[in-house]
Amino acid sequence: MDLYSGYINRLISELSVLPGIGSKSAQRLAFHIINMPKEQVEKLAGAMTEARENIRYCNVCFTLTDREVCPICSDASRNQKQIMVVENTRDMTAYEKTHKYNGVYHVLHGAINPSLGIGPADIKLTELIKRLERDVDEVIIATNSSIEGETTAMYISKLIKPTGIKVTRIASGVPVGGELEYIDEVTLSRALDARVEL
Ligand code: ZN
């Protein structure tokens, strides 16, 4: 016998597909939503739909944006010849918050992870190599210091080295296994300053 109405069950099952939301949290959220004022629920649902409809990848760096070319890539005051490679848009935001970096980015949308079947073709690597056909001075690899992040960094450096473009890796001020987005700004800018050439 179903304990709840079909509507509630459906809401719980939709919520439980979100990352970090187990079945208990999904239930808690579902009941919270049901008790919210109707207008607030409409606002929430509307924000989700609108964000999904209007957000796209930047044509240049592949970060999430609502424009064809994101504000960073279209900013003439930034050094377009220095490209920092990050795993996702959240990591890019973390570096932006340090206000210490004036180059541009390349967002991979993931990292190489053989155990999950994620290979080089599944992240935005071809797109990165294509960008290097233009005038580039340095590629800074700022993937996470997890096994996947390190594997990806090694792979990228091997790929770029023959081109003669300088490849650097952010320093190990970033704790092993640490995810960039949770690291404080001082540590992040130190890791950038102390980057080493690969
Ligand atoms: Zn961009």
Side-chain angles (χ1 to χ4, degrees):
M1 189 188 84
D2 265 351
L3 286 176
Y4 311 129
S5 104
Y7 291 110
I8 300 179
N9 281 330
R10 190 176 150 212
L11 181 56
I12 293 171
S13 95
E14 293 295 339
L15 288 167
S16 60
V17 303
L18 297 172
I21 307 289
S23 63
K24 272 205 177 138
S25 308
Q27 281 189 33
R28 199 165 41 81
L29 285 171
F31 284 104
H32 181 80
I33 291 168
I34 287 160
N35 287 309
M36 271 160 62
K38 225 175 152 188
E39 309 79 64
Q40 215 183 322
V41 176
E42 274 160 15
K43 255 181 155 176
L44 174 65
M48 287 198 267
T49 315
E50 274 174 29
R52 184 61 189 87
E53 266 169 17
N54 294 301
I55 300 293
R56 41 167 299 159
Y57 289 153
C58 165
N59 278 350
V60 182
C61 73
F62 295 89
T63 193
L64 298 170
T65 176
D66 54 4
R67 309 187 198 174
E68 244 176 69
V69 176
C70 79
I72 293 173
C73 290
S74 42
D75 183 346
S77 74
R78 299 192 68 132
N79 182 359
Q80 304 282 337
K81 295 181 180 181
Q82 194 179 37
I83 300 177
M84 185 192 284
V85 180
V86 291
E87 289 183 24
N88 54 51
T89 297
R90 297 186 308 275
D91 293 347
M92 170 177 163
T93 311
Y95 259 101
E96 274 305 283
K97 280 192 194 149
T98 67
H99 301 289
K100 289 279 157 60
Y101 178 65
N102 192 45
V104 291
Y105 297 88
H106 186 86
V107 182
L108 294 172
H109 291 284
I112 297 169
N113 188 339
S115 62
L116 289 180
I118 302 170
D122 301 310
I123 56 179
K124 304 278 178 209
L125 261 182
T126 323
E127 292 83 351
L128 171 66
I129 302 305
K130 189 124 193 47
R131 284 180 78 181
L132 304 182
E133 288 167 9
R134 295 175 62 177
D135 195 10
V136 174
D137 289 337
E138 182 184 2
V139 174
I140 303 167
I141 306 176
T143 49
N144 288 324
S145 54
S146 58
I147 294 170
E148 297 77 33
E150 292 298 345
T151 308
T152 310
M154 278 298 127
Y155 190 90
I156 296 175
S157 86
K158 275 189 193 146
L159 217 55
I160 299 179
K161 273 219 156 156
T163 67
I165 296 169
K166 185 177 174 189
V167 187
T168 55
R169 175 87 171 107
I170 53 165
S172 51
V174 177
V176 173
E179 296 207 15
L180 279 187
E181 58 176 313
Y182 300 119
I183 295 163
D184 70 277
E185 286 143 38
V186 178
T187 310
L188 274 186
S189 37
R190 266 195 212 135
L192 176 61
D193 287 341
R195 64 186 183 274
V196 286
E197 192 159 351
L198 293 176

